[in-house]
Amino acid sequence: MKTLTNKRFIVFSFVYYAVFTILMVVGSVFDLTVGKAIFNPENSFAEFMETFGQFVYWGMWGPALTVIFLCRRDLNESLDVIGKVFPFIKPVKNTDGKPYKICNSAVKIILTAGFFVLTVVGWKKLIENVTKNILLNMGKEDLPAVAYFAISAVVAVIGIILFRKIDRKTLKKLEAVALAGVLFGILCKLTEECKTITQRVRLREMVAYSNGFLNEKGLSEGKYSPLTSSMIEKTDFSAFTPWYKIGDAMGIYNRADSFPSGHTVYSCTLFILYFLCVASEKIKKFIPAALCISFAYVGVMGYTRMVTGAHYLTDVASAALLGYTFFIIVKVIYEKFTRKGIIG
């Protein structure tokens, strides 16, 4: 069964890499042509995906950090886990002595406080992004930061109470999934931070500026007017550059950060479904479905990013390749650590 599953995963990975590599090659030649052909900023579904499509990324932090909070360990347990990675670190033998008890109490307090703060921040990631976008679409002012922290703290406490009902064995397996999710999220975030290196101007920025707007959202003379697909005809695309060349924003364009697509990279975090299926014998049979659903979601996200003019074909193809590679890296680490009993 395991061999069969591995073969299926290899086939799936081959197909995934083949599809997006081909798209990368096609985009390297026809990026601007494809972008102009499917540009349709009035598309409501594409707009919805831009606003809320990163839900899978925002939504994983709260539950993941809640599980990690509940699985926190005392000093000796922590040393035992660390020792499985670094054998020269050993647990304390004399646990009855006063020095150990003092240190253990201090560790418990620090870990409890630290992980609770992280849990609150994790839930805030979801609550703030969703609420902010809803209020923005309604034309209302955003909530103050203190309100988000207060709401997130309440949600974190509720989450801890609910998650505490999960049995310890299951919780330990979920801890491995949670840690995998956190590592996955960090890798995706690092990619986002590198987007300005290529200085690639977005298609919709060129459309906006060529049609008299001050930014890609359609700001002109203090008012917002949505971009339309017909504006493509009056657009100057001289600032366009292929992904393999450093662009030049010419001191005009604000969003010279098109490559790669951040939304598409973040959408790859849906592959966490794979780890959830692996962690439970009852739902392991859904691994192929989880992979296919994640694949489809990444494809839909990438396509909608091109429809809005936010990215080119190579932007989304490269992001999909990067995101899946991160998934493979996390998968290898996850399997190694669970096999050795370090986590899970």
Side-chain angles (χ1 to χ4, degrees):
M1 179 65 181
K2 185 176 180 181
T3 303
L4 181 61
T5 301
N6 287 339
K7 285 182 178 179
R8 286 178 178 175
F9 185 83
I10 291 171
V11 170
F12 174 84
S13 298
F14 176 81
V15 172
Y16 184 98
Y17 276 117
V19 167
F20 285 108
T21 298
I22 291 171
L23 291 175
M24 190 74 187
V25 173
V26 172
S28 297
V29 180
F30 301 106
D31 247 351
L32 187 56
T33 302
V34 173
K36 290 162 66 175
I38 66 174
F39 179 63
N40 183 19
E42 303 105 314
N43 186 296
S44 57
F45 179 69
E47 185 179 355
F48 173 83
M49 289 297 288
E50 176 168 18
T51 305
F52 298 108
Q54 295 183 89
F55 179 88
V56 294
Y57 174 74
W58 302 333
M60 74 173 186
W61 293 99
L65 291 167
T66 300
V67 169
I68 293 172
F69 171 84
L70 291 172
C71 291
R72 65 193 186 281
R73 298 166 171 81
D74 63 19
L75 179 57
N76 241 17
E77 288 175 332
S78 300
L79 291 174
D80 183 53
V81 172
I82 297 171
K84 291 178 180 178
V85 182
F86 304 102
F88 57 89
I89 296 178
K90 304 293 182 182
V92 177
K93 293 182 178 179
N94 182 17
T95 58
D96 295 325
K98 190 174 181 179
Y100 173 82
K101 291 182 178 180
I102 293 174
C103 290
N104 188 40
S105 297
V107 168
K108 284 184 176 180
I109 293 171
I110 293 172
L111 290 180
T112 300
F115 281 130
F116 180 74
V117 171
L118 287 175
T119 302
V120 172
V121 172
W123 285 107
K124 179 176 176 288
K125 184 79 173 176
L126 172 63
I127 294 168
E128 182 175 17
N129 278 291
V130 172
T131 305
K132 184 180 293 185
N133 281 304
I134 291 175
L135 291 175
L136 181 64
N137 288 337
M138 293 173 63
K140 297 184 178 181
E141 292 186 4
D142 191 18
L143 299 177
V146 65
Y148 283 121
F149 274 109
I151 296 170
S152 301
V154 173
V155 173
V157 171
I158 295 173
I160 289 170
I161 294 172
L162 293 176
F163 279 45
R164 196 184 291 275
K165 296 180 181 180
I166 301 173
D167 64 272
R168 195 66 180 174
K169 185 179 179 180
T170 302
L171 206 58
K172 286 295 182 182
K173 289 184 177 181
L174 289 177
E175 181 190 25
V177 177
L179 291 170
V182 169
L183 177 57
F184 201 167
I186 291 173
L187 291 174
C188 291
K189 183 62 178 177
L190 290 176
T191 300
E192 178 76 8
E193 297 301 322
C194 298
K195 281 163 58 67
T196 56
I197 294 176
T198 57
Q199 290 291 300
R200 195 180 199 193
V201 179
R202 297 170 185 252
L203 185 143
R204 68 184 181 191
E205 273 249 300
M206 289 184 282
V207 172
Y209 278 82
S210 296
N211 286 273
F213 295 103
L214 300 178
N215 65 22
E216 60 183 5
K217 296 299 183 182
L219 177 65
S220 180
E221 299 179 353
K223 297 181 180 180
Y224 284 98
S225 179
L227 303 181
T228 63
S229 54
S230 62
M231 293 178 181
I232 205 85
E233 299 173 3
K234 299 179 181 179
T235 300
D236 175 12
F237 292 105
S238 59
F240 171 79
T241 52
W243 67 271
Y244 48 83
K245 292 184 179 181
I246 301 297
D248 182 7
M250 303 184 295
I252 300 174
Y253 303 102
N254 297 319
R255 298 298 302 277
D257 59 351
S258 181
F259 183 85
S261 166
H263 275 68
T264 308
V265 169
Y266 289 139
S267 70
C268 290
T269 54
L270 189 60
F271 279 106
I272 292 172
L273 290 174
Y274 169 84
F275 298 114
L276 285 171
C277 291
V278 169
S280 174
E281 290 293 334
K282 294 181 180 179
I283 60 174
K284 272 189 176 181
K285 60 183 178 182
F286 296 114
I287 288 176
L291 291 173
C292 291
I293 290 171
S294 301
F295 190 168
Y297 189 77
V298 173
V300 170
M301 175 61 82
Y303 179 74
T304 58
R305 298 308 287 146
M306 291 188 290
V307 169
T308 62
H311 293 287
Y312 306 97
L313 181 55
T314 52
D315 294 340
V316 300
S318 61
L321 291 170
L322 279 172
Y324 192 75
T325 300
F326 293 152
F327 166 59
I328 294 294
I329 292 171
V330 174
K331 178 179 178 294
V332 170
I333 296 173
Y334 171 88
E335 290 176 347
K336 183 177 181 180
F337 276 43
T338 52
R339 187 169 57 250
K340 290 187 175 182
I342 298 172
I343 54 174

